[in-house]
Amino acid sequence: MGAQAGDTLASKQINIVYGANFTKDESRFPGASIFSEDGRQVQFEHQGADLWCDVAIYYQKENRLRALGNVRLQQGDSIELTSGKINYDGQTKLAKAFENVLLETQQQTGQMTLRTDTLYFDRENQESYYNSSGTIVDSTNTLTSEIGRYFMELKKYQFLDSVHIDNPQYILDSEQLDYYTTSKNAYMYGPSTITGETYKIYCERGFYDTKVESGYGIKNTRIDYNNRIIEGDSVYFDKATEFASATNNIVVTDTVNNGIIRAHYAEVYKAKDSVFATKRAVSISLVEQDSLYMHGDTLMVTGKPEHRIVKAFRNAKFYKTDLSGKCDSIHSEERTGITQLIKNPVIWNGENQMTGDSIHLISNLKTEKLDSLKVLNNAFIVSLDSISKTGYNQAKGMDLFGKFVDNELKIIDLIKNTEVIYYMYNDDDELIGIDKTICSKIRITMANNDIEDLTFITNPDGDIFPDKDLPVDSRKLKGFIWRGDERILTKDDIFDEDDNTIELVVIRGIDNPIDIDAEEAERSQNEGDPVNEIPTNTTPASPPKRPKLKKVPLVSFKEATR
């Protein structure tokens, strides 16, 4: 047992490889052996590491030393640490370097350097740590932070406080960040901003591949991308393909046309200037100080702002305060100002239901207000009689043309083979009779989204029938369909039950980083502050320039301790 203990102690001992100008100074350094250069630097070896310096204060019994002047600590072929001074403990294998500290590591991807004022190098755990600001340079990036730790076996840096990455293509700022020197991948754990030439990303937890400018955020993420802002629970971005996607609670804002898309999944293609959105997708735009909501199973927005096209596919619906509708798909084009409702369309203007084979809403390109309405082929307008609540006012024709004034439908013209059934009342709301007429054209004048007047144009043929004289089966025009139970009364009505029961995907998280502050506090409590062990009357050595044997400016013991 004794021999084994002795061997263990011997293996931990700091060994003198070359020591010249030996002396002692018990008054200042009790128990220490002092060595200084003689044209060749003092050299020590300890468990796979070599240390060179101009002056060494060596406590053999305590197995620790202080190295002063042009200090170089080398571990294998891949790690070299230079500084003005180093305190080294052979029992814990902990080195503390200060004054112009430079740590250089050789990696497959090239050389990496770390510069700081004070650096702890824990050889036992192969970690280095600073808390007084540091700068790291590798083949891709320049990184700075107030606090940092380097895990050498993992080739990983962990940064805290004012983290900054400077790259020719982008700038990254973060409160806390892990950086892997081999892959050049960064993991962000606090408010972080990445600013590139054509984009800006903000997130509070995320991943970023600094080589190819690709990554994702999973907390409070926002990307400013071309003329759009993308926000969501999880947002992915890739510069090379000019692509971004987002998942769960997404908002895509069109900063040019002041439009918004909300969904639970979306893709943005910068080169095509397009957005694809699904899962409770809705487009929100401003029309005459009123929000227009458009929904479909899938939404697509394509083209430059002045040529933008919005499409809603399958089960498409829209809503604004006094106008709503539904159909199979919607096609809206910025250049023409035309919004087309395609396949089985129906719209409601106030209490009026309008149907036809195809419906077009047309905006004024200059004022961007609703200008007119077209219902093409089999045009039909119906409203429930507001007094009897049993009959229906109806008008039909081949086509219908409507005119909006101040965003309100004022005039409706029905042309070709027109027919009308209309309930007529006196001022006391007493039914006068039911007007049933056919002619070539009918003009309906509207007020407050209700029929104010009917004008029959060109060969009208009809009569006003007393209520008792018009059979019930004659009170509906051919092709009559009432779709009042489908009417969209609020912006929430554009969503079906399936839309409201979507199960959101679970966003995969990023593991929490190691608590640097807690670990360092524990270390300081156990080890004390080695800075206080440095002689206070020593003068700093000249800044290291990666010293080479027999070529560095040497410092004598007398100069170093003066």
Side-chain angles (χ1 to χ4, degrees), residues 300-318:
M300 288 190 67
V301 182
T302 58
K304 300 295 181 182
E306 62 275 12
H307 297 286
R308 191 143 289 169
I309 295 174
V310 180
K311 301 177 183 178
F313 295 101
R314 293 180 297 279
N315 196 27
K317 300 177 184 179
F318 73 91

Side-chain angles (χ1 to χ4, degrees), residues 64 85 348 525 534:
R64 63 185 177 89
K85 299 176 183 179
W348 292 272
Q525 183 177 3
I534 301 170

Side-chain angles (χ1 to χ4, degrees), residues 30-316:
S33 299
I34 302 170
F35 303 91
S36 60
E37 53 79 22
D38 64 349
R40 173 181 174 182
Q41 284 189 296
V42 181
Q43 182 179 354
F44 293 86
E45 183 277 332
H46 185 247
Q47 296 186 347
D50 292 284
L51 184 146
W52 292 266
C53 61
D54 293 347
V55 177
I57 305 170
Y58 177 41
Y59 296 85
Q60 184 175 14
K61 185 176 180 180
E62 299 174 19
N63 198 27
R64 63 185 177 89
L65 65 83
R66 305 177 198 172
L68 309 171
N70 297 300
V71 184
R72 175 163 63 104
L73 175 63
Q74 185 165 330
Q75 179 178 284
D77 297 328
S78 61
I79 298 175
E80 184 172 274
L81 173 65
T82 59
S83 64
K85 299 176 183 179
I86 283 182
N87 287 349
Y88 185 74
D89 188 325
Q91 297 301 113
T92 62
K93 296 173 69 174
L94 177 65
K96 181 179 180 182
F98 40 99
E99 294 180 4
N100 300 308
V101 181
L102 173 64
L103 175 67
E104 296 178 290
T105 61
Q106 300 295 330
Q107 302 178 4
Q108 293 180 347
T109 54
Q111 185 184 66
M112 184 206 67
T113 63
L114 161 62
R115 293 183 183 274
T116 185
D117 291 332
T118 303
L119 181 72
Y120 295 89
F121 179 14
D122 183 348
R123 294 188 58 235
E124 183 68 33
N125 296 308
Q126 288 298 290
E127 298 175 11
S128 56
Y129 172 71
Y130 63 86
N131 59 7
S132 55
S133 183
T135 300
I136 294 88
V137 179
D138 66 12
S139 59
T140 305
N141 302 294
T142 299
L143 304 94
T144 60
S145 70
E146 291 301 310
I147 300 172
R149 171 178 284 169
Y150 181 44
F151 301 86
M152 296 175 182
E153 292 182 353
L154 296 174
K155 294 180 173 55
K156 166 188 171 180
Y157 270 102
Q158 189 171 85
F159 300 106
L160 288 177
D161 193 359
S162 305
V163 186
H164 180 79
I165 298 180
D166 198 340
N167 182 287
Q169 305 301 320
Y170 62 87
I171 299 294
L172 190 156
D173 292 286
S174 179
E175 287 299 308
Q176 183 170 350
L177 180 144
D178 287 356
Y179 178 75
Y180 289 82
T181 61
T182 301
S183 64
K184 317 299 184 191
N185 291 338
Y187 292 83
M188 297 160 283
Y189 299 97
S192 306
T193 303
I194 306 169
T195 305
E197 295 178 357
T198 58
Y199 63 90
K200 183 177 181 179
I201 302 173
Y202 173 86
C203 72
E204 294 176 12
R205 180 161 291 205
F207 163 83
Y208 193 65
D209 185 333
T210 67
K211 299 190 307 298
V212 297
E213 298 181 68
S214 174
Y216 59 87
I218 60 171
K219 183 179 180 182
N220 295 333
T221 305
R222 165 178 167 155
I223 298 179
D224 291 64
Y225 195 37
N226 202 13
N227 49 41
R228 290 187 173 92
I229 298 170
I230 309 162
E231 300 168 276
D233 289 357
S234 175
V235 181
Y236 169 82
F237 168 81
D238 182 66
K239 179 185 177 183
T241 58
E242 297 186 311
F243 171 80
S245 65
T247 304
N248 293 357
N249 301 304
I250 302 156
V251 179
V252 180
T253 303
D254 184 332
T255 58
V256 176
N257 290 345
N258 297 318
I260 292 175
I261 291 177
R262 296 183 183 273
H264 290 305
Y265 181 75
E267 296 178 354
V268 178
Y269 299 84
K270 179 175 180 291
K272 297 179 179 179
D273 211 333
S274 67
V275 178
F276 165 91
T278 186
K279 293 188 176 181
R280 210 173 189 268
V282 57
S283 167
I284 307 170
S285 56
L286 195 64
V287 177
E288 189 69 8
Q289 305 302 312
D290 188 12
S291 293
L292 172 65
Y293 299 82
M294 186 186 301
H295 164 71
D297 292 348
T298 300
L299 290 181
M300 288 190 67
V301 182
T302 58
K304 300 295 181 182
E306 62 275 12
H307 297 286
R308 191 143 289 169
I309 295 174
V310 180
K311 301 177 183 178
F313 295 101
R314 293 180 297 279
N315 196 27

